[in-house]
Amino acid sequence: MSAVLLSGKALAKTIQQRAHREARELEADGLRPTLAVVVATDDGSTHWYVRSIERAAESAAISCRIVDLGPDATAQVLASVLKDLSEDPSVHGIILQTPLPPGVGTDELVGHIAPEKDVDGANPLSLGRMAVGQPSFAPATARAVIEILNHFDIPLAGRNVVVIGRSAVVGKPLSLLLLERDAAVTVCHSRSGPLEKYTKAADVVVVAAGRTGLLNGGHVSSEAVVIDVGTNVLPDGSLVGDVDEASVRGIAAALTPVPGGVGSVTTSLLLLHTTEAAREQSRALVPGTAG
């Protein structure tokens, strides 16, 4: 038996079309949704990804402002730019792209992104609001996992879901989103011990650890749905996930591919979040329409 491949391409296109419709509606009201992407690296794969966001935004009628500060940008410069963008009424969504220059920490900077413009859920306030059920933007990658599971009608209520990785970008927010859908969630990390101790009994396994080949066929059951969030660039420039795809495809029931899985949905969600942010910000400017 070979696992069913859960491609994200059709779902990504549907979400992008929705973002495009919303952008056109806003534009008819005199508002052009605008996404600002702050970059401070000379990493080639990062610039490739940023260009893909720019192309996707253009096709969705969303303005995309790339703020390239160069690989030597200081924390002070980055903080100043994020503050300025947060205060700029023409900008509706802000992304701080990683990696950052050596010695510059993400944690100190994301707090300068206004929560209402935090379309990738990076500000700790966004995560806190999400944890208590208040309106906020979830990190797009975490939400992409949920959207894929929903798209393929994979049930979550009462199911055992294992999340490998506990980052604030994917693992932690994804766990919250899964709990909202009544899943029984286990989070594994570097000190959890043998993965198969947890993953063998899982209905759904989400791998988001950033380690090539971390999960293999010996870790999962024949009923498992495996969601690969990893994006690892090999020396030859090819992109692979955290899953040993060849071995898992021979065992698991379903698997997301890399590329063409979670990543494509993530980009489309960033655009949708931008249109949603623009709409909410426009309402906040009109008395009696906020909230």
Side-chain angles (χ1 to χ4, degrees):
M1 182 188 78
S2 182
V4 175
L5 281 184
L6 306 178
S7 173
K9 292 182 179 179
L11 174 59
K13 184 176 180 180
T14 298
I15 295 171
Q16 187 165 334
Q17 288 171 340
R18 179 181 164 191
H20 184 265
R21 288 194 302 270
E22 294 198 11
R24 287 302 189 197
E25 289 174 5
L26 289 165
E27 194 169 31
D29 293 332
L31 179 66
R32 175 82 170 184
T34 299
L35 172 66
V37 184
V38 179
V39 186
T41 181
D42 56 5
D43 178 70
S45 61
T46 297
H47 282 277
W48 179 91
Y49 176 63
V50 169
R51 286 193 297 272
S52 72
I53 294 176
E54 190 174 23
R55 289 192 298 269
E58 182 180 0
S59 66
I62 294 170
S63 295
C64 187
R65 186 184 304 177
I66 308 300
V67 184
D68 191 347
L69 301 175
D72 298 320
T74 64
Q76 291 77 14
V77 168
L78 281 157
S80 178
V81 167
L82 292 172
K83 289 176 184 177
D84 289 345
L85 291 171
S86 291
E87 295 170 2
D88 185 344
S90 70
V91 172
H92 307 102
I94 302 170
I95 300 171
L96 176 61
Q97 188 62 47
T98 55
L100 297 175
V104 177
T106 306
D107 294 344
E108 298 86 13
L109 293 173
V110 290
H112 297 301
I113 302 174
E116 66 271 17
K117 300 185 180 185
D118 185 22
V119 293
D120 202 17
N123 189 321
L125 287 174
S126 300
L127 185 59
R129 289 178 177 180
M130 188 173 65
V132 296
Q134 294 182 2
S136 67
F137 290 108
T141 303
R143 182 180 172 187
V145 173
I146 299 296
E147 294 292 341
I148 286 175
L149 292 169
N150 289 343
H151 179 72
F152 288 101
D153 295 320
I154 296 167
L156 290 171
R159 306 293 292 278
N160 292 321
V161 181
V162 171
V163 178
I164 302 173
R166 54 179 173 177
S167 73
V169 177
V170 184
K172 289 177 181 176
L174 176 58
S175 299
L176 294 172
L177 294 175
L178 290 166
L179 287 171
E180 282 184 2
R181 285 152 181 80
D182 300 319
V185 184
T186 301
V187 179
C188 293
H189 46 80
S190 59
R191 299 191 179 184
S192 297
L195 286 178
E196 59 269 24
K197 174 182 173 183
Y198 306 95
T199 56
K200 272 288 192 179
D203 300 299
V204 178
V205 181
V206 184
V207 196
R211 289 177 53 191
T212 305
L214 177 62
L215 190 84
N216 60 52
H219 292 130
V220 298
S221 73
S222 59
E223 292 82 27
V225 174
V226 179
I227 308 295
D228 192 352
V229 181
T231 52
N232 307 293
V233 181
L234 297 180
D236 64 2
S238 60
L239 190 69
V240 297
D242 290 351
V243 172
D244 179 2
E245 186 173 327
S247 65
V248 170
R249 283 190 69 172
I251 302 294
L255 169 68
T256 58
V258 177
V262 175
S264 54
V265 179
T266 298
T267 301
S268 295
L269 283 172
L270 288 171
L271 303 181
L272 182 61
H273 286 181
T274 300
T275 62
E276 292 172 346
R279 188 176 297 281
E280 286 303 312
Q281 289 163 48
S282 67
R283 286 173 178 166
L285 296 175
V286 180
T289 62

